[in-house]
């Protein structure tokens, strides 16, 4: 992976955004159906709430399974091709969503088409996101890895924040075909934009087996997965937490979480380069832990708001900080595989949050979720301390 010539911050950001735009298209495609499909499955097709939720979860599992493969293929074929393939998969999810609407007189067929579309979207997410990140690193040089991953995260969460309400609006105006058509349009435009960009030269060198990549990055991924729990319990359960205490304003708490996340990424991402990913991760986990404890003990809604903001700010730099250290563990020709494997732990963390938290709520009540999440994040602190105590591995070693 060649180093880029000296560029100003504005030039670096412009180059990164020119590639990270594909991540934005991808996660806007992910966000658009989120608030619509469960209602369609339950109300229009007549299936249970369990199946309505399962339709959404299928995408997470498809993303989790395909993450390592997306990185491996990006190492072999180059990130440009993987991004283009990912956009095609995203577009197919839109096509299958329209087909599901046309087939709703046969509920089983409609449900099957939706499930297949969710699989395509999950694969499209892992391919596009991993490929865009690796492409960005190649465009500006490996020294800017933290900056690229930070911008990728901003694009991800901004797209998700826009996607859900936009999907609801388009569904109200045009039905499912409204947001599905937008998904197809973004896939076509994104594919055309990517095709016009110069391809990145793939490094021709021996690649280590997947199990060796996994052995080098799994502790970093585990830290990420544990830290993701704080995000998961707020995104999934903060509305129920407010409702359980007869409070209003859950949406504002989610907004503050997002503001804390984005502000931290934009203002402090340079701290990773300055102090190192592990030290930044350590501080980030501690801030996230404090935020979750505040929510756990909050007696008023405004304290929950403070806790949500702190949790968002704490979680913000975890992915890029640990990600920088994870990709350092391998040679450039294996960095796509390392990044894909590392990212899979985020998907795993989010996938496990719902069912595990549901069990806790059933036994110990809603507040217990936030105490348990704080404990999980504290475990991530211990893992980070362990990583700090280890000698730095040379990628060639």
């Amino acid at each position: 992976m060649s180093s880029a010539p000296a560029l100003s911050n504005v030039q670096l950001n412009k180059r990164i955004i020119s590639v990270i735009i594909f991540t934005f298209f991808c996660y806007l495609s992910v966000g658009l159906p989120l608030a619509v499909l469960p209602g369609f499955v339950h109300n229009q097709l007549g299936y249970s709430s369990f199946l309505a939720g399962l339709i959404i979860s299928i995408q997470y599992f498809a993303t989790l399974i395909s993450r390592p493969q997306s990185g491996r293929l990006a190492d072999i074929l180059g990130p440009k091709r993987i991004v283009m393939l990912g956009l095609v998969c995203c577009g197919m999810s839109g096509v299958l969503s329209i087909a599901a609407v046309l087939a709703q007189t046969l509920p089983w067929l409609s449900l099957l088409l939706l499930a297949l579309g969710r699989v395509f979207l999950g694969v499209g997410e892992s391919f596009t996101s991993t490929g865009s990140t690796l492409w960005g690193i190649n465009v500006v040089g490996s020294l800017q890895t933290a900056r690229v991953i930070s911008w990728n995260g901003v694009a991800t969460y901004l797209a998700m924040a826009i996607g859900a309400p936009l999907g609801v609006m388009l569904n109200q105006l045009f039905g499912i075909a409204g947001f599905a058509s937008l998904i197809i349009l973004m896939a076509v435009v994104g594919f055309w934009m990517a095709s016009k960009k110069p391809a990145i030269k793939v490094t021709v060198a021996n690649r280590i087996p997947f199990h060796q990549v996994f052995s080098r990055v799994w502790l970093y991924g585990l830290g990420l997965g544990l830290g993701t729990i704080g995000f998961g319990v707020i995104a999934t359960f903060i509305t129920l937490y407010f409702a359980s205490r007869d409070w209003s304003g859950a949406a504002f708490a989610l907004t503050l979480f997002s503001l804390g996340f984005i502000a931290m990424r934009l203002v402090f991402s340079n701290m990773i380069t300055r102090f190192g990913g592990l030290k930044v991760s350590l501080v980030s986990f501690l801030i996230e832990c404090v935020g979750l404890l505040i929510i756990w003990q909050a007696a008023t809604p405004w304290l929950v708001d403070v806790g949500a903001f702190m949790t968002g700010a704490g979680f913000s730099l975890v992915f890029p900080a640990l990600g920088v250290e994870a990709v350092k563990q391998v040679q450039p020709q294996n960095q796509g595989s390392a990044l894909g494997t590392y990212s899979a732990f985020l998907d795993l963390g989010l996938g496990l949050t719902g069912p595990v938290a549901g069990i806790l709520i059933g036994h110990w009540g809603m507040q217990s979720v936030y105490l348990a999440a704080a404990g999980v994040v504290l475990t991530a602190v211990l893992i980070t301390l362990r990583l700090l105590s280890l000698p730095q591995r040379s990628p060639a070693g």
Side-chain angles (χ1 to χ4, degrees), residues 2-219:
S2 60
S3 297
L7 298 169
S8 68
N9 284 332
V10 173
Q11 290 174 316
L12 285 169
N13 291 337
K14 285 177 67 176
R15 289 194 179 190
I16 293 168
I17 291 171
S18 72
V19 175
I20 295 303
I21 185 67
F22 304 121
T23 294
F24 181 83
F25 288 162
C26 165
Y27 279 99
L28 191 57
S29 300
V30 170
L32 285 168
L34 276 181
V36 177
L37 287 188
F40 176 76
V41 172
H42 185 58
N43 299 321
Q44 272 70 52
L45 299 184
Y47 288 103
S48 66
S49 298
F50 172 77
L51 277 176
L54 184 62
I55 281 293
I56 297 297
S57 298
I58 286 172
Q59 181 208 319
Y60 293 131
F61 289 113
T63 303
L64 173 64
I65 293 170
S66 59
R67 281 278 193 192
Q69 285 74 19
S70 68
R72 200 77 173 169
L73 287 172
D75 286 332
I76 297 169
L77 302 176
K80 174 179 174 176
R81 291 184 181 180
I82 296 306
V83 167
M84 293 172 70
L85 181 58
L87 290 168
V88 169
C89 290
C90 290
M92 279 299 300
S93 75
V95 172
L96 288 165
S97 295
I98 293 175
V101 174
L102 296 175
Q104 63 181 309
T105 52
L106 295 172
W108 66 269
L109 178 59
S110 181
L111 187 70
L112 182 63
L113 290 168
L114 280 180
L116 186 59
R118 300 300 291 170
V119 172
F120 269 103
L121 188 57
V123 174
E125 176 190 344
S126 61
F127 276 44
T128 307
S129 179
T130 303
S132 294
T133 306
L134 192 63
W135 199 352
I137 294 171
N138 275 272
V139 165
V140 297
S142 57
L143 291 177
Q144 300 298 329
T145 296
R147 186 190 295 260
V148 174
I149 297 178
S150 292
W151 273 111
N152 196 65
V154 171
T156 297
Y157 288 94
L158 181 61
M160 292 286 283
I162 295 171
L166 180 59
V168 171
M169 183 185 74
L170 291 173
N171 183 61
Q172 290 172 344
L173 292 173
F174 309 108
I176 284 178
F179 71 74
S181 297
L182 179 56
I183 291 173
I184 296 169
L185 178 63
M186 286 190 296
V188 171
V189 172
F191 187 92
W192 175 80
M193 290 173 61
S195 70
K196 296 298 182 182
K197 290 184 172 295
I200 297 297
K201 185 178 179 181
V202 179
T203 304
V204 180
N206 291 329
R207 293 179 173 85
I208 61 176
F210 173 75
H211 69 87
Q212 290 187 26
V213 175
F214 183 86
S215 70
R216 295 188 183 191
V217 304
W218 77 273
L219 265 181

Side-chain angles (χ1 to χ4, degrees), residues 143-316:
L143 291 177
Q144 300 298 329
T145 296
R147 186 190 295 260
V148 174
I149 297 178
S150 292
W151 273 111
N152 196 65
V154 171
T156 297
Y157 288 94
L158 181 61
M160 292 286 283
I162 295 171
L166 180 59
V168 171
M169 183 185 74
L170 291 173
N171 183 61
Q172 290 172 344
L173 292 173
F174 309 108
I176 284 178
F179 71 74
S181 297
L182 179 56
I183 291 173
I184 296 169
L185 178 63
M186 286 190 296
V188 171
V189 172
F191 187 92
W192 175 80
M193 290 173 61
S195 70
K196 296 298 182 182
K197 290 184 172 295
I200 297 297
K201 185 178 179 181
V202 179
T203 304
V204 180
N206 291 329
R207 293 179 173 85
I208 61 176
F210 173 75
H211 69 87
Q212 290 187 26
V213 175
F214 183 86
S215 70
R216 295 188 183 191
V217 304
W218 77 273
L219 265 181
Y220 300 91
L222 183 59
L224 170 67
L226 295 174
T228 302
I229 302 300
F231 162 63
V233 295
I234 288 182
T236 308
F237 294 105
I238 199 69
T239 303
L240 295 176
Y241 183 62
F242 270 72
S244 71
R245 309 187 76 171
D246 294 321
W247 292 343
S248 59
F252 184 60
L254 285 170
T255 299
L256 285 175
F257 175 90
S258 299
L259 287 175
F261 182 96
I262 292 173
M264 202 75 169
R265 281 274 174 112
L266 293 177
V267 178
F268 292 106
S269 60
N270 63 323
M271 295 293 103
I272 299 172
T273 303
R274 185 175 176 184
F275 296 106
L278 292 177
K279 291 180 181 178
V280 171
S281 299
L282 186 62
V283 175
S284 297
F285 283 136
L286 291 172
I287 294 172
E288 183 181 357
C289 188
V290 171
L292 290 165
L293 289 173
I294 290 174
I295 296 174
W296 168 55
Q297 284 292 283
T300 59
W302 72 266
L303 277 174
V304 178
D305 293 340
V306 171
F309 182 85
M310 287 190 66
T311 305
F315 176 63
S316 177

